[in-house]
Amino acid sequence: MGSVLRKMRYLAAPGMVPKVSALERITPRLLLRAYRMADAGDWLEIEHDEAVRQGLGWPTRTSAAAYAHLRARTHHTVLSRPGDLLVLAAEHAGHVIGDVSLHLRTVAPATRTVEIGWLLRSAYSGRGLATEAADAMLDVAFEHAHAVLVTAVVKGWNEASSKLALRLGFRPVAQRGELTTYVLSRQDRQRALGAVLREHSGAIADPDGRSREVSGLPAVPSYARRVRGWCATTPAELRSHQSAEGTRSPRH
C-alpha cells in the first residue's frame, strides 16, 4: 500500500518540461552513456573497489546483489519529477570506470535544484577523469535541466571528492555530522568557466582594463574547441582518438 501511495504522489507531482534523458555525451577522453547489463564485468570491478564502497557507504554485495544494483542503475535514465535520478556510466578506452549522476530535488523553475554525484575506480584516480565527467554532467544540469542550484554532499574525510567539488567551483555551505554540503549556482558556474577560458586563452589585462592576447598563444584553447565540438563526435571516433593518443591526452 505504501509503495502505491508513493507512486501516486510521484505521478501527481509537477514535472519538468522538457524532461532530460540519458543521451550519449562525449568529452575529450570519456563516453558518458546509460548503463547496460553488458557492463556487468566492469560493474563488478567497481563494486569490489574498497575505496568506492567506503566513499559511498556501500555494503559488500554478493555477485547477485551487485547485478541487481546494476540493473537498477540501467533504469535511471530520465529527469522529470522530484526524486528522479539520472545516471551516466563513464566509459574510457572501452571500459566503464565509474559514473556521474544527477538527482532532481525540486522542479520549480525559479528554485530548480539537482544534486550531483560521482564515483571512479581508484585505479583511474589522479588523472582528472572524475573532473572531466563531473564537468560534463554540470553542463547537463545547467544547460539541459536548467537548474538554478547544483548541490553535492561529501563525507568530511573524503578529501578527493572535497577537492573535486572545490575545483569545479562549488562552495561549502553546511556541515552536519560527517557530511558537508557544497553548492554551485548558475552564476558561479559561469564565472568558473570564464576563468578557465581566460586562463587557457592567454588573455591578460592591460592597465586600462582591456584584455589582450599573449603573443604566440591561441585566442581559443584547443581544449575549449574540443569541448565545444564533442556533440559532433561519435563514440567510434572517440575510441579511435583514444587509441591514437594513448596516454597523451591532457589532464583536466
Side-chain angles (χ1 to χ4, degrees):
M1 185 65 178
S3 61
V4 174
L5 290 174
R6 284 194 297 271
K7 186 172 183 179
M8 290 176 64
R9 284 195 296 267
Y10 169 81
L11 294 175
M16 292 196 314
V17 179
K19 63 185 180 182
V20 177
S21 300
L23 300 176
E24 289 184 343
R25 306 179 187 280
I26 295 173
T27 72
R29 296 177 293 173
L30 299 169
L31 169 63
L32 303 181
R33 58 165 176 79
Y35 271 106
R36 304 185 282 256
M37 289 308 296
D39 298 323
D42 291 332
W43 180 252
L44 286 179
E45 294 291 335
I46 292 172
E47 288 271 3
H48 294 158
D49 192 317
E50 183 67 22
V52 171
R53 287 205 310 271
Q54 287 185 354
L56 296 174
W58 286 357
T60 300
R61 295 186 176 96
T62 63
S63 294
Y67 290 138
H69 190 192
L70 172 60
R71 187 175 299 280
R73 244 163 163 71
T74 65
H75 295 300
H76 294 310
T77 58
V78 175
L79 292 181
S80 177
R81 291 181 169 84
D84 282 349
L85 179 65
L86 172 66
V87 183
L88 296 181
E91 181 182 318
H92 175 67
H95 290 280
V96 174
I97 62 171
D99 65 43
V100 281
S101 61
L102 292 177
H103 202 153
L104 184 60
R105 297 304 188 186
T106 62
V107 299
T111 58
R112 185 168 297 164
T113 303
V114 297
E115 180 181 333
I116 191 171
W118 52 74
L119 67 87
L120 183 75
R121 283 184 57 193
S122 54
Y124 293 89
S125 63
R127 308 183 193 180
L129 292 166
T131 304
E132 192 170 311
D135 186 67
M137 204 57 154
L138 286 174
D139 282 343
V140 177
F142 287 116
E143 304 306 324
H144 297 271
H146 303 292
V148 175
L149 292 174
V150 178
T151 65
V153 180
V154 179
K155 291 186 176 181
W157 51 263
N158 192 337
E159 185 177 357
S161 282
S162 297
K163 287 182 176 179
L164 174 53
L166 295 173
R167 192 157 54 244
L168 291 168
F170 282 83
R171 295 176 289 109
V173 295
Q175 186 165 355
R176 178 173 295 181
E178 64 177 2
L179 299 178
T180 301
T181 299
Y182 293 82
V183 170
L184 180 70
S185 69
R186 177 179 292 275
Q187 290 76 14
D188 292 337
R189 172 70 170 169
Q190 291 170 343
R191 282 194 292 268
L193 289 176
V196 169
L197 287 175
R198 286 193 298 274
E199 176 185 350
H200 289 277
S201 67
I204 61 174
D206 278 332
D208 61 2
R210 294 177 300 175
S211 64
R212 62 182 176 84
E213 185 175 319
V214 177
S215 177
L217 293 179
V220 179
S222 60
Y223 173 68
R225 288 200 298 271
R226 292 171 73 182
V227 170
R228 289 173 184 170
W230 62 258
C231 289
T233 307
T234 66
E237 288 172 344
L238 174 65
R239 296 187 184 102
S240 175
H241 172 74
Q242 289 173 337
S243 297
E245 285 204 340
T247 60
R248 293 185 290 114
S249 298
R251 293 181 62 183
H252 305 296

